[in-house]
Amino acid sequence: MNVVKLNGVKVYNLTTERSLPEWASRAEKKKILKKDPGADTHIELIHELEMPDASTYITCSPDQKYLFVLGRYKPRVRCYELKNLSMKFDRCVDYLPTRMTCLSHDYSKFALLEEERWIDIHSAGGHHFRFRVPRAGVDIHYTLFNCHLLVPSTGNTVYRMDLCEGRFATPLTSSTLSESESLNVSCFMEELDVLLAGTSRGSVQGWDLRSGDWTFNLNVWSSSSRPVELNKSTRFACTNLTHKDALNFAVGTSEGLVHIYDVRQTKSPWHTRDTEYRRSVKTVTFHDDKVLAMVANCLKIWNIDTGKMFVGFETGPIEVNWMYHFPGSGLIMLANEAPKVSRYFIPLLGEAPYWCSYLDQTITEFEPDVTTMYDGYKFLTRHQLLEYGMMDLIGTKLLRAYMHGYFVSNQLFVKIKEKITAATPAVIQTSTVSKNVQIASTKAEKEAITAAEMDEAASDNRFTKLKLARMTCDIANAESDLIRIHQARLEKKRQRKELRKIRAARADALVKKQD
């Protein structure tokens, strides 16, 4: 267990235990863990919470009693019973599952969205039924009021399977979507019975599931503001959709921006956050007055009302596929391209879930040394460094690279800021001119000194032998010279060996004469 203190917030990394092979017996695993110096501080929340190769998706059942993890290899789904902190079942499937939805409140019925356009329905006993959709799906949802399974596709259509009648219902389409525009993500707002779907051209479409009519069209690309450095003529894609309540929903884009809209007023977002990572937003989650966003290898949490950063930390070099935050708690799990499912606990975000309530006391008892990263330091981006004229400090000990910027000492930052504010434009211009003149004069002086030293060395008698042919180095025949030097060393070594033999023979002869 590692602890990092960021901006006064402690983040506990609970995934530092070693990965153990599946074929190892329990005795072998115990021996390996005993040799681990940090085994005393390991906290295993759920037994065998891992995949053979990587995990692609993670979610919980509606009753929050069962945890589902999708992964590979082989393609499989694992269910964990949180009450017992252990695995309930492990089922292999024919195709890689990417998303899933529960058809009941527990683990007994669920549907998997798999590759090759397959929809796999499972029951408590195992595989139950499987069917295909006309186009590959990107997400899957289930509506309780009419037992419809919703599958937004890579085209511009949302397919509906009526599980009561066992046939496809009329698909949902939009008149504003072109043939080249496809759906990427979706979000089902249960309070309004509305399905939202984000497209590859930066728009959000909405359908009323009670009537099946298309009722919503939001152009995120034209209604939202963007940073100056981004090209405003290029279209971005919507990579994540999630809703906070019946009125507010968030849109994550491929440019690393998070926009929050009100369904009653969609002319412009009422909250926008730039994660400063020009990568796709993987997951966005709401927690009280905070927003959690997973971008690339960084998790950022900020206050939705004030926009103030709560905490942000890197999750490592491994690519993250999905983030799941246990509602009302400070526990976060990440599905990534590694066997272990990453687990983080932030006490200031919320208490531990009911099934691991011991975690609050355990982290206090076994807390290792805390690494504080923000105390006494100021975080600056490259744009801010350029603004304050601190770009020359990159690469020195005065700046510490972290995420998308650098840390600088508060004392140094205050001094630089005071000098910048005190200096006038005229003084700055004068100092710049004098500095350029000084640099030019120093260069001329250095060249003159170098020329004088070379002339003095040429007239010195001690360096006359350097002009001999045997003292020069032929670059073209450098390899042959190295071979010759090596052969000379071998010859000297052979001569020394023969000399030792002669001396040994003389010593033996003297001993024999004395005898």
Side-chain angles (χ1 to χ4, degrees):
M1 178 178 65
N2 292 335
V3 187
V4 179
K5 192 174 183 181
L6 306 168
N7 201 23
V9 180
K10 290 183 180 180
V11 179
Y12 294 84
N13 184 1
L14 308 179
T15 55
T16 53
E17 63 265 21
R18 299 174 61 180
S19 297
L20 303 177
E22 287 187 341
W23 60 83
S25 62
R26 288 190 175 182
E28 292 174 346
K29 290 181 179 180
K30 286 183 179 179
K31 288 182 181 179
I32 295 173
L33 290 176
K34 284 182 179 179
K35 296 179 182 179
D36 191 354
D40 296 337
T41 60
H42 287 173
I43 298 177
E44 188 174 7
L45 287 181
I46 302 175
H47 186 55
E48 296 180 342
L49 182 58
E50 58 184 5
M51 281 287 170
D53 181 47
S55 52
T56 58
Y57 186 75
I58 182 170
T59 187
C60 256
S61 59
D63 59 4
Q64 295 293 313
K65 293 182 180 180
Y66 300 92
L67 180 70
F68 292 91
V69 181
L70 310 182
R72 60 176 189 270
Y73 179 81
K74 299 179 179 179
R76 64 183 65 208
V77 53
R78 286 182 174 178
C79 177
Y80 299 87
E81 190 172 3
L82 299 179
K83 181 177 64 175
N84 296 328
L85 303 178
S86 61
M87 186 189 303
K88 189 170 185 64
F89 62 79
D90 180 11
R91 297 177 186 173
C92 290
V93 293
D94 295 334
Y95 299 93
L96 177 65
T98 56
R99 294 289 185 272
M100 69 163 291
T101 183
C102 290
L103 308 181
S104 61
H105 292 287
D106 54 5
Y107 73 96
S108 58
K109 298 176 184 178
F110 60 91
L112 299 176
L113 174 64
E114 300 175 355
E115 291 181 341
E116 302 296 333
R117 302 184 285 117
W118 284 107
I119 307 296
D120 201 355
I121 299 177
H122 287 246
S123 61
H127 169 74
H128 179 70
F129 181 69
R130 185 170 65 178
F131 65 93
R132 299 182 82 176
V133 291
R135 287 192 176 184
V138 296
D139 209 342
I140 187 170
H141 304 282
Y142 178 66
T143 57
L144 285 171
F145 69 93
N146 57 3
C147 297
H148 279 187
L149 200 62
L150 308 176
V151 184
S153 67
T154 52
N156 52 9
T157 307
V158 179
Y159 299 105
R160 296 190 294 174
M161 168 60 77
D162 193 335
L163 298 182
C164 289
E165 299 182 2
R167 64 181 180 87
F168 281 103
T170 305
L172 305 177
T173 58
S174 173
S175 59
T176 60
L177 292 178
S178 60
E179 292 294 333
S180 61
E181 196 169 1
S182 62
L183 302 179
N184 283 347
V185 291
S186 63
C187 170
F188 175 49
M189 303 180 70
E190 298 179 358
E191 299 86 355
L192 303 177
D193 289 331
V194 171
L195 177 69
L196 301 179
T199 67
S200 59
R201 300 282 291 173
S203 65
V204 177
Q205 307 294 322
W207 292 270
D208 187 353
L209 299 179
R210 293 168 294 185
S211 61
D213 298 332
W214 170 72
T215 58
F216 188 79
N217 181 24
L218 169 63
N219 193 340
V220 183
W221 180 76
S222 61
S223 64
S224 61
S225 59
R226 302 169 69 188
V228 181
E229 63 269 16
L230 294 178
N231 187 2
K232 295 187 178 181
S233 62
T234 58
R235 288 270 186 174
F236 57 80
C238 297
T239 57
N240 185 265
L241 269 177
T242 185
H243 69 284
K244 180 183 179 183
D245 46 36
L247 299 177
N248 301 288
F249 66 93
V251 182
T253 68
S254 58
E255 295 178 338
L257 301 177
V258 178
H259 307 287
I260 301 178
Y261 288 87
D262 191 323
V263 294
R264 298 168 296 182
Q265 192 277 113
T266 58
K267 290 184 179 180
S268 61
W270 63 270
H271 179 82
T272 299
R273 180 75 184 191
D274 184 8
T275 61
E276 299 184 3
Y277 276 82
R278 298 298 168 246
R279 301 280 297 277
S280 300
V281 178
K282 297 293 183 68
T283 315
V284 179
T285 307
F286 292 94
H287 173 70
D288 294 337
D289 59 343
K290 296 179 179 61
V291 183
L292 294 78
M294 188 71 219
V295 186
N297 306 92
C298 178
L299 175 61
K300 290 196 172 186
I301 307 174
W302 66 89
N303 191 293
I304 193 174
D305 297 325
T306 62
K308 184 179 180 181
M309 195 69 183
F310 178 71
V311 69
F313 58 93
E314 290 186 343
T315 58
I318 302 173
E319 183 180 356
V320 178
N321 296 322
W322 193 259
M323 176 190 70
Y324 182 76
H325 170 247
F326 287 85
S329 70
L331 184 62
I332 301 170
M333 290 190 179
L334 305 178
N336 50 37
E337 294 294 326
K340 289 286 184 181
V341 176
S342 300
R343 303 177 290 275
Y344 294 91
F345 181 60
I346 307 175
L348 290 181
L349 186 64
E351 60 184 8
Y354 74 94
W355 51 270
C356 60
S357 56
Y358 62 89
L359 191 60
D360 292 318
Q361 184 178 358
T362 305
I363 60 175
T364 306
E365 294 177 355
F366 297 97
E367 181 176 331
D369 296 334
V370 179
T371 304
T372 304
M373 302 184 66
Y374 275 81
D375 293 348
Y377 287 89
K378 174 72 174 177
F379 183 79
L380 299 175
T381 61
R382 292 184 67 91
H383 181 72
Q384 291 174 329
L385 290 177
L386 182 63
E387 181 181 352
Y388 291 109
M390 300 171 63
M391 294 294 291
D392 296 337
L393 299 180
I394 296 177
T396 64
K397 295 182 179 180
L398 300 176
L399 293 181
R400 292 178 177 268
Y402 183 74
M403 291 198 299
H404 60 279
Y406 299 87
F407 280 122
V408 62
S409 174
N410 281 333
Q411 297 178 356
L412 178 61
F413 177 72
V414 171
K415 290 181 180 179
I416 294 175
K417 193 173 182 180
E418 289 177 354
K419 289 185 178 181
I420 291 176
T421 53
T424 59
V427 174
I428 294 174
Q429 185 176 2
T430 306
S431 61
T432 305
V433 173
S434 61
K435 186 177 180 180
N436 294 335
V437 173
Q438 185 178 1
I439 291 172
S441 61
T442 53
K443 286 184 178 179
E445 291 177 359
K446 287 182 179 180
E447 292 177 357
I449 293 172
T450 304
E453 289 178 352
M454 294 297 293
D455 295 338
E456 184 179 356
S459 60
D460 196 337
N461 296 328
R462 293 175 297 176
F463 301 104
T464 54
K465 292 184 178 181
L466 293 176
K467 299 179 181 179
L468 299 177
R470 61 186 180 87
M471 299 296 293
T472 59
C473 179
D474 188 3
I475 299 177
N477 299 324
E479 186 176 356
S480 60
D481 292 342
L482 292 175
I483 294 174
R484 179 175 52 80
I485 293 171
H486 183 63
Q487 290 177 350
R489 289 178 179 175
L490 291 177
E491 182 65 23
K492 289 183 179 180
K493 189 176 181 180
R494 186 184 61 80
Q495 291 177 0
R496 287 196 297 268
K497 191 174 182 180
E498 291 180 355
L499 183 60
R500 284 196 297 269
K501 288 182 179 180
I502 294 172
R503 290 177 179 175
R506 289 178 182 176
D508 292 340
L510 291 174
V511 171
K512 289 179 181 179
K513 285 182 179 180
Q514 291 178 359
D515 294 341

